[in-house]
Amino acid sequence: MEVISSSSSSFFISPRNNLCFAPNPKVVRLNSVIVSSVNPRLSNGLTCVTVSASDRLAAFNRKEVGEDRSLFWLVKRLNKRFAFHHVVLFRGNGRMLTKLRKHTVSFKKLVKSSEKFKDLFPDFFVRVALGMMLCMAIAVPVSKSPSWALTEENLLFLEAWRTIDRAYVDKSFNGQSWFRYRENALRNEPMNNREQTYAAIKKMLATLDDPFTRFLEPDKFKSLRSGTQGALTGVGLSIGYPTGNDGAVSGIMVISASPGGPASRAAISPGDLILAIDDTGTETMDIYDAAERLQGPEGSEVQLKIRSGSDIKQLSLTRENISINPVKSRVCETPGLGKAASKIGYIKLTSFNQNASAAVKEAIETLRRENVEGFVLDLRNNSGGLFPEGIEIAKIWLDKGVIVYICDSRGVRDIYDTDGTNAIAPSEPLAVLVNKGTASASEILAGALKDNKRAVLLGEPTFGKGKIQSVFEMSDGSGLAVTVARYETPDHIDINKVGIIPDHPLPALFPKDDDDFCGCIGDPASGCFLNRVGLFSR
């Protein structure tokens, strides 16, 4: 028989594998015992719990674990059902282990109660009464366990929660306990069908107060993905949220209009506000809902209410199948010194879809065969697109250097740079044209070329979208657009809501249409003339 001492009573293992509690302490060694089945019994002031012989597992023997840990594990298991209000001291090989456990029933009180009751009632009734008390003590914690299991809808909600938990840029989650929100939502938010689950996910994302972190139903996610793959049916608008620091402007802002598309032909310009789409106001509309309303079957019409400056106009646009070929290029001649004219290669990049970097490489090679002496990269009204494509295009022009710093709330967490391996045009003179429609991946590219002294920037300050979103596909075909980082240019400039400041402005009459670009750099008599020195000089 083995006995363990406490401050008020002793534990011992009886020859019948019973763990007993007695008021007279002694100290001897304890061999490993594992409790799997608990059967409470009281007899003459002695509390015993049956321990089956099969529970003596070799993994907890003294050599592998140590006496103190074996004993502590045993008492910890018992403490889940019984309790001590006292500090319990255990001795093993001369060491002392102190643990304080608070529960609702004290063995000391049970032992004393046994002594009192045995004088008033027969032992049989004492055993029955105290046995019932112990069973109730065991049953109470079990009754508090959750009675529900996670449903398919709960699991979809948790999938969205985990995506934000792992990817979102702000690890304070807008100053809230993200884990506590999860538990409260699972208890309180109705998730009996897919519509309710989507509503619960949207409500969760709204607590982040980030307009760029949004939930996308399956059809919206499919629409967004088609826009980055090179084709969509709509009116040719890139849209975003107003960037005013005063927060007074509401609605949907036009970032750019695709050249030659319905919106461009209707003279919709960057900075215009869309006040209504088909008589539905945009004050509280998110950009994904607006994008879905702008798209539709080819040949169908959409009604837009547009504010351009102080003017408000009603427009009816017919949707078209818009092929997003991201690159246009041409050769422009500029007056040279003497009789010979110099050639400039003009590249218009309209978006960063999955074809963009390959199309830029092809354009450079084509223009080189025409013996151009420099390049103009036009990023005006380019609202961005795929972040990796922006990085790849920067590598085309740079022989080495940092492209962008990726930052979160704790500072720089990643660096994108290049060693020149992918450089195709690292040395020819380069000018980059930008305006307030230049946003997102376009700003990353423009900032990298400017800060690395690779290009001269001309135009006006860019849009100022200094945050990066990634799109995650959910198991049911829906998606999450999540702000995963903010970025800084190679000179550690945070351009969010500020934009990139160009080196020089363009002439006031400089055309936005790429078709007229060559005339402005080739005709000294034109009102938009910009000579070679003006293009490439800082």
Side-chain angles (χ1 to χ4, degrees), residues 4 16 64 93 112 118 152 169 175 178-180 202 206 219 255 275 299 301 305 370 384 428 456 473 479 494 529:
I4 310 94
R16 295 184 179 180
E64 294 182 9
N93 287 341
K112 289 183 178 180
K118 77 174 183 175
E152 182 180 352
V169 60
W178 198 236
F179 288 93
R180 182 173 298 174
K202 291 178 181 179
D219 54 342
I255 298 177
L275 302 180
E301 291 190 351
K305 184 178 181 180
E370 298 290 336
E428 290 99 331
V456 177
E473 184 172 10
D494 183 354
F529 178 68

PDB file of all heavy atoms in Angstrom, residues 4 16 64 93 112 118 152 169 175 178-180 202 206 219 255 275 299 301 305 370 384 428 456 473 479 494 529:
ATOM      1  N   ILE A   4       0.244   9.006   0.229  1.00  0.00           N
ATOM      2  CA  ILE A   4       0.729  10.348  -0.105  1.00  0.00           C
ATOM      3  C   ILE A   4       0.111  11.311   0.889  1.00  0.00           C
ATOM      4  O   ILE A   4      -1.082  11.242   1.170  1.00  0.00           O
ATOM      5  CB  ILE A   4       0.331  10.750  -1.525  1.00  0.00           C
ATOM      6  CG1 ILE A   4       0.719   9.631  -2.512  1.00  0.00           C
ATOM      7  CG2 ILE A   4       1.018  12.036  -1.929  1.00  0.00           C
ATOM      8  CD1 ILE A   4      -0.404   8.691  -2.778  1.00  0.00           C
ATOM      9  N   ARG A  16      -6.282  -3.338  -3.305  1.00  0.00           N
ATOM     10  CA  ARG A  16      -7.322  -3.620  -4.293  1.00  0.00           C
ATOM     11  C   ARG A  16      -7.418  -2.520  -5.360  1.00  0.00           C
ATOM     12  O   ARG A  16      -8.451  -2.348  -5.992  1.00  0.00           O
ATOM     13  CB  ARG A  16      -8.661  -3.781  -3.581  1.00  0.00           C
ATOM     14  CG  ARG A  16      -8.710  -4.976  -2.649  1.00  0.00           C
ATOM     15  CD  ARG A  16     -10.084  -5.141  -2.063  1.00  0.00           C
ATOM     16  NE  ARG A  16     -10.162  -6.279  -1.182  1.00  0.00           N
ATOM     17  CZ  ARG A  16     -11.278  -6.656  -0.535  1.00  0.00           C
ATOM     18  NH1 ARG A  16     -12.401  -5.955  -0.704  1.00  0.00           N
ATOM     19  NH2 ARG A  16     -11.263  -7.708   0.257  1.00  0.00           N
ATOM     20  N   GLU A  64      10.178   7.203 -16.640  1.00  0.00           N
ATOM     21  CA  GLU A  64       9.936   8.040 -17.813  1.00  0.00           C
ATOM     22  C   GLU A  64       9.473   9.432 -17.448  1.00  0.00           C
ATOM     23  O   GLU A  64       9.809  10.404 -18.084  1.00  0.00           O
ATOM     24  CB  GLU A  64       8.900   7.395 -18.728  1.00  0.00           C
ATOM     25  CG  GLU A  64       9.378   6.091 -19.345  1.00  0.00           C
ATOM     26  CD  GLU A  64       8.359   5.513 -20.286  1.00  0.00           C
ATOM     27  OE1 GLU A  64       7.378   6.211 -20.563  1.00  0.00           O
ATOM     28  OE2 GLU A  64       8.533   4.370 -20.729  1.00  0.00           O
ATOM     29  N   ASN A  93      10.701  11.724  -3.510  1.00  0.00           N
ATOM     30  CA  ASN A  93      12.162  11.797  -3.613  1.00  0.00           C
ATOM     31  C   ASN A  93      12.711  13.097  -3.023  1.00  0.00           C
ATOM     32  O   ASN A  93      13.591  13.735  -3.573  1.00  0.00           O
ATOM     33  CB  ASN A  93      12.612  11.685  -5.069  1.00  0.00           C
ATOM     34  CG  ASN A  93      12.452  10.268  -5.586  1.00  0.00           C
ATOM     35  OD1 ASN A  93      12.349   9.333  -4.781  1.00  0.00           O
ATOM     36  ND2 ASN A  93      12.427  10.106  -6.895  1.00  0.00           N
ATOM     37  N   LYS A 112     -15.238  14.566   7.367  1.00  0.00           N
ATOM     38  CA  LYS A 112     -15.837  14.953   8.638  1.00  0.00           C
ATOM     39  C   LYS A 112     -17.324  14.622   8.676  1.00  0.00           C
ATOM     40  O   LYS A 112     -17.858  14.195   9.699  1.00  0.00           O
ATOM     41  CB  LYS A 112     -15.619  16.448   8.876  1.00  0.00           C
ATOM     42  CG  LYS A 112     -14.165  16.792   9.186  1.00  0.00           C
ATOM     43  CD  LYS A 112     -14.025  18.281   9.491  1.00  0.00           C
ATOM     44  CE  LYS A 112     -12.584  18.610   9.853  1.00  0.00           C
ATOM     45  NZ  LYS A 112     -12.421  20.048  10.146  1.00  0.00           N
ATOM     46  N   LYS A 118     -22.123   8.833  10.755  1.00  0.00           N
ATOM     47  CA  LYS A 118     -22.091   7.416  11.103  1.00  0.00           C
ATOM     48  C   LYS A 118     -22.586   7.190  12.531  1.00  0.00           C
ATOM     49  O   LYS A 118     -22.990   6.086  12.886  1.00  0.00           O
ATOM     50  CB  LYS A 118     -20.675   6.871  10.936  1.00  0.00           C
ATOM     51  CG  LYS A 118     -19.714   7.257  12.057  1.00  0.00           C
ATOM     52  CD  LYS A 118     -18.384   6.567  11.887  1.00  0.00           C
ATOM     53  CE  LYS A 118     -17.463   6.902  13.061  1.00  0.00           C
ATOM     54  NZ  LYS A 118     -16.200   6.154  12.989  1.00  0.00           N
ATOM     55  N   GLU A 152     -22.620  22.705 -40.813  1.00  0.00           N
ATOM     56  CA  GLU A 152     -21.926  23.101 -42.031  1.00  0.00           C
ATOM     57  C   GLU A 152     -21.860  24.616 -42.162  1.00  0.00           C
ATOM     58  O   GLU A 152     -20.847  25.173 -42.613  1.00  0.00           O
ATOM     59  CB  GLU A 152     -22.641  22.498 -43.242  1.00  0.00           C
ATOM     60  CG  GLU A 152     -21.974  22.813 -44.575  1.00  0.00           C
ATOM     61  CD  GLU A 152     -22.710  22.210 -45.754  1.00  0.00           C
ATOM     62  OE1 GLU A 152     -23.653  21.425 -45.516  1.00  0.00           O
ATOM     63  OE2 GLU A 152     -22.354  22.517 -46.908  1.00  0.00           O
ATOM     64  N   VAL A 169      -4.256  42.693 -42.050  1.00  0.00           N
ATOM     65  CA  VAL A 169      -3.081  43.501 -41.752  1.00  0.00           C
ATOM     66  C   VAL A 169      -3.051  43.991 -40.310  1.00  0.00           C
ATOM     67  O   VAL A 169      -1.996  44.060 -39.689  1.00  0.00           O
ATOM     68  CB  VAL A 169      -3.002  44.693 -42.737  1.00  0.00           C
ATOM     69  CG1 VAL A 169      -4.239  45.576 -42.626  1.00  0.00           C
ATOM     70  CG2 VAL A 169      -1.734  45.519 -42.517  1.00  0.00           C
ATOM     71  N   GLY A 175      -9.175  46.992 -32.683  1.00  0.00           N
ATOM     72  CA  GLY A 175      -9.288  47.161 -31.237  1.00  0.00           C
ATOM     73  C   GLY A 175     -10.274  46.238 -30.559  1.00  0.00           C
ATOM     74  O   GLY A 175     -10.852  46.605 -29.530  1.00  0.00           O
ATOM     75  N   TRP A 178     -10.615  39.272 -31.265  1.00  0.00           N
ATOM     76  CA  TRP A 178     -11.099  38.510 -32.405  1.00  0.00           C
ATOM     77  C   TRP A 178     -11.595  37.121 -31.982  1.00  0.00           C
ATOM     78  O   TRP A 178     -12.547  36.585 -32.540  1.00  0.00           O
ATOM     79  CB  TRP A 178      -9.985  38.404 -33.436  1.00  0.00           C
ATOM     80  CG  TRP A 178     -10.433  38.034 -34.810  1.00  0.00           C
ATOM     81  CD1 TRP A 178     -10.013  36.987 -35.556  1.00  0.00           C
ATOM     82  CD2 TRP A 178     -11.384  38.735 -35.630  1.00  0.00           C
ATOM     83  NE1 TRP A 178     -10.632  36.979 -36.783  1.00  0.00           N
ATOM     84  CE2 TRP A 178     -11.480  38.042 -36.857  1.00  0.00           C
ATOM     85  CE3 TRP A 178     -12.161  39.870 -35.438  1.00  0.00           C
ATOM     86  CZ2 TRP A 178     -12.326  38.446 -37.886  1.00  0.00           C
ATOM     87  CZ3 TRP A 178     -13.003  40.283 -36.460  1.00  0.00           C
ATOM     88  CH2 TRP A 178     -13.083  39.581 -37.667  1.00  0.00           C
ATOM     89  N   PHE A 179     -10.950  36.528 -30.996  1.00  0.00           N
ATOM     90  CA  PHE A 179     -11.379  35.215 -30.516  1.00  0.00           C
ATOM     91  C   PHE A 179     -12.718  35.318 -29.792  1.00  0.00           C
ATOM     92  O   PHE A 179     -13.590  34.461 -29.960  1.00  0.00           O
ATOM     93  CB  PHE A 179     -10.326  34.626 -29.581  1.00  0.00           C
ATOM     94  CG  PHE A 179      -9.085  34.180 -30.294  1.00  0.00           C
ATOM     95  CD1 PHE A 179      -7.994  35.032 -30.435  1.00  0.00           C
ATOM     96  CD2 PHE A 179      -9.011  32.911 -30.856  1.00  0.00           C
ATOM     97  CE1 PHE A 179      -6.866  34.624 -31.099  1.00  0.00           C
ATOM     98  CE2 PHE A 179      -7.874  32.500 -31.538  1.00  0.00           C
ATOM     99  CZ  PHE A 179      -6.797  33.355 -31.660  1.00  0.00           C
ATOM    100  N   ARG A 180     -12.882  36.355 -29.006  1.00  0.00           N
ATOM    101  CA  ARG A 180     -14.155  36.521 -28.302  1.00  0.00           C
ATOM    102  C   ARG A 180     -15.289  36.778 -29.291  1.00  0.00           C
ATOM    103  O   ARG A 180     -16.408  36.296 -29.098  1.00  0.00           O
ATOM    104  CB  ARG A 180     -14.053  37.677 -27.305  1.00  0.00           C
ATOM    105  CG  ARG A 180     -15.323  37.891 -26.487  1.00  0.00           C
ATOM    106  CD  ARG A 180     -15.088  38.932 -25.409  1.00  0.00           C
ATOM    107  NE  ARG A 180     -14.056  38.487 -24.472  1.00  0.00           N
ATOM    108  CZ  ARG A 180     -13.563  39.247 -23.504  1.00  0.00           C
ATOM    109  NH1 ARG A 180     -13.993  40.494 -23.353  1.00  0.00           N
ATOM    110  NH2 ARG A 180     -12.627  38.777 -22.695  1.00  0.00           N
ATOM    111  N   LYS A 202     -20.624  39.006 -43.188  1.00  0.00           N
ATOM    112  CA  LYS A 202     -20.578  40.440 -43.502  1.00  0.00           C
ATOM    113  C   LYS A 202     -20.597  41.283 -42.235  1.00  0.00           C
ATOM    114  O   LYS A 202     -19.901  42.309 -42.144  1.00  0.00           O
ATOM    115  CB  LYS A 202     -21.761  40.808 -44.398  1.00  0.00           C
ATOM    116  CG  LYS A 202     -21.685  40.228 -45.799  1.00  0.00           C
ATOM    117  CD  LYS A 202     -22.918  40.602 -46.613  1.00  0.00           C
ATOM    118  CE  LYS A 202     -22.873  40.020 -48.009  1.00  0.00           C
ATOM    119  NZ  LYS A 202     -24.079  40.354 -48.803  1.00  0.00           N
ATOM    120  N   ALA A 206     -17.693  43.905 -41.024  1.00  0.00           N
ATOM    121  CA  ALA A 206     -18.029  45.312 -40.797  1.00  0.00           C
ATOM    122  C   ALA A 206     -17.388  45.845 -39.519  1.00  0.00           C
ATOM    123  O   ALA A 206     -17.122  47.049 -39.419  1.00  0.00           O
ATOM    124  CB  ALA A 206     -19.545  45.486 -40.736  1.00  0.00           C
ATOM    125  N   ASP A 219     -21.300  34.603 -57.099  1.00  0.00           N
ATOM    126  CA  ASP A 219     -21.393  35.275 -58.398  1.00  0.00           C
ATOM    127  C   ASP A 219     -20.496  36.513 -58.446  1.00  0.00           C
ATOM    128  O   ASP A 219     -19.888  36.809 -59.476  1.00  0.00           O
ATOM    129  CB  ASP A 219     -22.847  35.645 -58.700  1.00  0.00           C
ATOM    130  CG  ASP A 219     -23.491  36.467 -57.596  1.00  0.00           C
ATOM    131  OD1 ASP A 219     -22.964  36.466 -56.467  1.00  0.00           O
ATOM    132  OD2 ASP A 219     -24.531  37.113 -57.850  1.00  0.00           O
ATOM    133  N   ILE A 255     -12.235  55.781 -60.939  1.00  0.00           N
ATOM    134  CA  ILE A 255     -10.777  55.838 -60.964  1.00  0.00           C
ATOM    135  C   ILE A 255     -10.281  55.988 -62.393  1.00  0.00           C
ATOM    136  O   ILE A 255      -9.402  56.799 -62.683  1.00  0.00           O
ATOM    137  CB  ILE A 255     -10.172  54.574 -60.317  1.00  0.00           C
ATOM    138  CG1 ILE A 255     -10.588  54.492 -58.842  1.00  0.00           C
ATOM    139  CG2 ILE A 255      -8.655  54.578 -60.438  1.00  0.00           C
ATOM    140  CD1 ILE A 255     -10.095  53.243 -58.143  1.00  0.00           C
ATOM    141  N   LEU A 275     -23.399  58.775 -58.415  1.00  0.00           N
ATOM    142  CA  LEU A 275     -24.351  59.020 -57.338  1.00  0.00           C
ATOM    143  C   LEU A 275     -25.456  57.966 -57.294  1.00  0.00           C
ATOM    144  O   LEU A 275     -26.017  57.703 -56.223  1.00  0.00           O
ATOM    145  CB  LEU A 275     -24.974  60.407 -57.494  1.00  0.00           C
ATOM    146  CG  LEU A 275     -23.986  61.585 -57.522  1.00  0.00           C
ATOM    147  CD1 LEU A 275     -24.748  62.904 -57.689  1.00  0.00           C
ATOM    148  CD2 LEU A 275     -23.128  61.613 -56.269  1.00  0.00           C
ATOM    149  N   GLY A 299     -25.353  44.433 -74.604  1.00  0.00           N
ATOM    150  CA  GLY A 299     -26.475  45.082 -75.262  1.00  0.00           C
ATOM    151  C   GLY A 299     -27.508  45.656 -74.313  1.00  0.00           C
ATOM    152  O   GLY A 299     -28.366  46.442 -74.735  1.00  0.00           O
ATOM    153  N   GLU A 301     -28.850  48.015 -71.072  1.00  0.00           N
ATOM    154  CA  GLU A 301     -28.547  49.394 -70.691  1.00  0.00           C
ATOM    155  C   GLU A 301     -28.499  49.556 -69.177  1.00  0.00           C
ATOM    156  O   GLU A 301     -29.160  48.826 -68.432  1.00  0.00           O
ATOM    157  CB  GLU A 301     -29.592  50.355 -71.274  1.00  0.00           C
ATOM    158  CG  GLU A 301     -29.520  50.486 -72.783  1.00  0.00           C
ATOM    159  CD  GLU A 301     -30.387  51.619 -73.310  1.00  0.00           C
ATOM    160  OE1 GLU A 301     -31.175  52.178 -72.514  1.00  0.00           O
ATOM    161  OE2 GLU A 301     -30.271  51.937 -74.502  1.00  0.00           O
ATOM    162  N   LYS A 305     -26.221  58.202 -62.679  1.00  0.00           N
ATOM    163  CA  LYS A 305     -26.267  59.595 -62.264  1.00  0.00           C
ATOM    164  C   LYS A 305     -24.852  59.978 -61.847  1.00  0.00           C
ATOM    165  O   LYS A 305     -24.304  59.411 -60.894  1.00  0.00           O
ATOM    166  CB  LYS A 305     -27.253  59.788 -61.111  1.00  0.00           C
ATOM    167  CG  LYS A 305     -27.429  61.231 -60.669  1.00  0.00           C
ATOM    168  CD  LYS A 305     -28.456  61.324 -59.546  1.00  0.00           C
ATOM    169  CE  LYS A 305     -28.656  62.769 -59.101  1.00  0.00           C
ATOM    170  NZ  LYS A 305     -29.665  62.857 -57.989  1.00  0.00           N
ATOM    171  N   GLU A 370      12.289  48.686 -83.938  1.00  0.00           N
ATOM    172  CA  GLU A 370      12.130  49.963 -84.651  1.00  0.00           C
ATOM    173  C   GLU A 370      13.217  50.967 -84.280  1.00  0.00           C
ATOM    174  O   GLU A 370      13.155  52.143 -84.658  1.00  0.00           O
ATOM    175  CB  GLU A 370      10.758  50.562 -84.333  1.00  0.00           C
ATOM    176  CG  GLU A 370       9.588  49.700 -84.772  1.00  0.00           C
ATOM    177  CD  GLU A 370       9.439  49.654 -86.279  1.00  0.00           C
ATOM    178  OE1 GLU A 370       9.901  50.605 -86.958  1.00  0.00           O
ATOM    179  OE2 GLU A 370       8.874  48.671 -86.781  1.00  0.00           O
ATOM    180  N   GLY A 384      -4.841  49.714 -61.476  1.00  0.00           N
ATOM    181  CA  GLY A 384      -4.149  48.626 -60.795  1.00  0.00           C
ATOM    182  C   GLY A 384      -4.628  47.267 -61.250  1.00  0.00           C
ATOM    183  O   GLY A 384      -5.007  47.056 -62.399  1.00  0.00           O
ATOM    184  N   GLU A 428      17.767  52.127 -71.053  1.00  0.00           N
ATOM    185  CA  GLU A 428      17.259  53.172 -71.944  1.00  0.00           C
ATOM    186  C   GLU A 428      16.527  54.253 -71.156  1.00  0.00           C
ATOM    187  O   GLU A 428      15.936  53.975 -70.099  1.00  0.00           O
ATOM    188  CB  GLU A 428      16.295  52.584 -72.985  1.00  0.00           C
ATOM    189  CG  GLU A 428      16.971  51.702 -74.020  1.00  0.00           C
ATOM    190  CD  GLU A 428      16.829  50.229 -73.694  1.00  0.00           C
ATOM    191  OE1 GLU A 428      16.737  49.901 -72.489  1.00  0.00           O
ATOM    192  OE2 GLU A 428      16.823  49.417 -74.619  1.00  0.00           O
ATOM    193  N   VAL A 456      11.730  59.247 -64.910  1.00  0.00           N
ATOM    194  CA  VAL A 456      11.192  60.556 -64.562  1.00  0.00           C
ATOM    195  C   VAL A 456       9.674  60.451 -64.606  1.00  0.00           C
ATOM    196  O   VAL A 456       9.106  59.946 -65.580  1.00  0.00           O
ATOM    197  CB  VAL A 456      11.680  61.635 -65.549  1.00  0.00           C
ATOM    198  CG1 VAL A 456      11.053  62.983 -65.214  1.00  0.00           C
ATOM    199  CG2 VAL A 456      13.202  61.726 -65.524  1.00  0.00           C
ATOM    200  N   GLU A 473     -10.474  32.404 -52.015  1.00  0.00           N
ATOM    201  CA  GLU A 473     -11.670  31.652 -52.390  1.00  0.00           C
ATOM    202  C   GLU A 473     -12.094  30.761 -51.236  1.00  0.00           C
ATOM    203  O   GLU A 473     -11.265  30.056 -50.640  1.00  0.00           O
ATOM    204  CB  GLU A 473     -11.421  30.807 -53.631  1.00  0.00           C
ATOM    205  CG  GLU A 473     -12.673  30.076 -54.111  1.00  0.00           C
ATOM    206  CD  GLU A 473     -12.479  29.387 -55.443  1.00  0.00           C
ATOM    207  OE1 GLU A 473     -11.321  29.321 -55.907  1.00  0.00           O
ATOM    208  OE2 GLU A 473     -13.481  28.916 -56.024  1.00  0.00           O
ATOM    209  N   GLY A 479     -15.986  34.289 -51.803  1.00  0.00           N
ATOM    210  CA  GLY A 479     -14.617  34.767 -51.620  1.00  0.00           C
ATOM    211  C   GLY A 479     -14.526  35.882 -50.607  1.00  0.00           C
ATOM    212  O   GLY A 479     -15.531  36.461 -50.185  1.00  0.00           O
ATOM    213  N   ASP A 494       4.914  56.256 -47.287  1.00  0.00           N
ATOM    214  CA  ASP A 494       3.563  55.689 -47.221  1.00  0.00           C
ATOM    215  C   ASP A 494       2.652  56.607 -48.027  1.00  0.00           C
ATOM    216  O   ASP A 494       2.381  57.736 -47.631  1.00  0.00           O
ATOM    217  CB  ASP A 494       3.105  55.603 -45.772  1.00  0.00           C
ATOM    218  CG  ASP A 494       1.727  54.954 -45.631  1.00  0.00           C
ATOM    219  OD1 ASP A 494       1.090  54.682 -46.659  1.00  0.00           O
ATOM    220  OD2 ASP A 494       1.293  54.730 -44.478  1.00  0.00           O
ATOM    221  N   PHE A 529       3.235  70.645 -76.730  1.00  0.00           N
ATOM    222  CA  PHE A 529       4.555  70.130 -77.099  1.00  0.00           C
ATOM    223  C   PHE A 529       5.425  69.850 -75.869  1.00  0.00           C
ATOM    224  O   PHE A 529       5.510  70.646 -74.936  1.00  0.00           O
ATOM    225  CB  PHE A 529       5.272  71.116 -78.023  1.00  0.00           C
ATOM    226  CG  PHE A 529       6.657  70.660 -78.399  1.00  0.00           C
ATOM    227  CD1 PHE A 529       6.845  69.550 -79.208  1.00  0.00           C
ATOM    228  CD2 PHE A 529       7.772  71.346 -77.928  1.00  0.00           C
ATOM    229  CE1 PHE A 529       8.113  69.126 -79.563  1.00  0.00           C
ATOM    230  CE2 PHE A 529       9.052  70.931 -78.288  1.00  0.00           C
ATOM    231  CZ  PHE A 529       9.221  69.825 -79.097  1.00  0.00           C
TER     232      PHE A 529
END
